[in-house]
Amino acid sequence: DSGVTQTPKHLITATGQRVTLRCSPRSGDLSVYWYQQSLDQGLQFLIQYYNGEERAKGNILERFSAQQFPDLHSELNLSSLELGDSALYFCASSGTPDYEQYFGPGTRLTVT
Amino acid sequence: ELKVEQNPLFLSMQEGKNYTIYCNYSTTSDRLYWYRQDPGKSLESLFVLLSNGAVKQEGRLMASLDTKARLSTLHITAAVHDLSATYFCAVDWLSGGGADGLTFGKGTHLIIQP
């Protein structure tokens, strides 16, 4: 158990809908990262937040957005969902100066 | 654009044998990560390599980093079935003072047969 929690574990929704994925980092970690894993694209970095501020953006679509709240939990919002958005979405957290990223169990999103 | 290439992508080997997985990356980075993923599960951190020449060992796995060659290796010694999994290497997406977004290789799917 990495100490990173994600909810929900599974999510099934229809095209065009909007969903919110939630992540709680390890206690004391200020950085939260979101990744997408799919068969087509592999593991892709989406976005990073550090202590409430956006720090780095990766291959995140404009239909996707994220935020980190004062209690350090983070949410990833996915809108206008398409079939191709079906994937495993992982959240990871890390604490300075420890560079290691600890991954949560993931949310499996299925868009039908 | 940072690229991370692993090879081989698929590896079937017998128990007791030794083998090496290679990870090449395209731009300067001093931090390289190895993760293990079991089917349907999350990523488990194996090693974090932070400097040129770094070598780390845990059980039958040993990882090394050559930043000048932009190459890391994951060596498996006397493989056992429990090591069957997909292994990913990853490099920081941005250089900087803290951990940044990681760029992952495609993964090496390792099957160890009795």
Side-chain angles (χ1 to χ4, degrees), chain A residues 14-70:
Chain A
T15 54
Q17 295 300 304
R18 173 188 169 96
V19 297
T20 297
L21 313 183
R22 183 188 168 104
C23 167
S24 293
R26 292 186 322 154
S27 176
D29 283 357
L30 299 180
S31 282
V32 169
Y33 312 78
W34 286 97
Y35 293 88
Q36 180 196 60
Q37 185 176 32
S38 65
L39 285 174
D40 290 346
Q41 304 291 330
L43 266 161
Q44 289 197 100
F45 166 63
L46 297 179
I47 197 164
Q48 178 199 359
Y49 277 81
Y50 178 82
N51 202 20
E53 300 289 327
E54 181 184 304
R55 174 169 169 156
K57 257 185 174 177
N59 299 319
I60 188 165
L61 299 173
E62 284 195 11
R63 301 183 285 108
F64 296 0
S65 65
Q67 54 185 327
Q68 187 179 27
F69 295 87

Side-chain angles (χ1 to χ4, degrees), chain B residues 2 10 35 50 98-100 107 110 114:
Chain B
L2 174 57
F10 297 95
Y35 286 89
L50 298 177
D100 300 304
L110 174 63

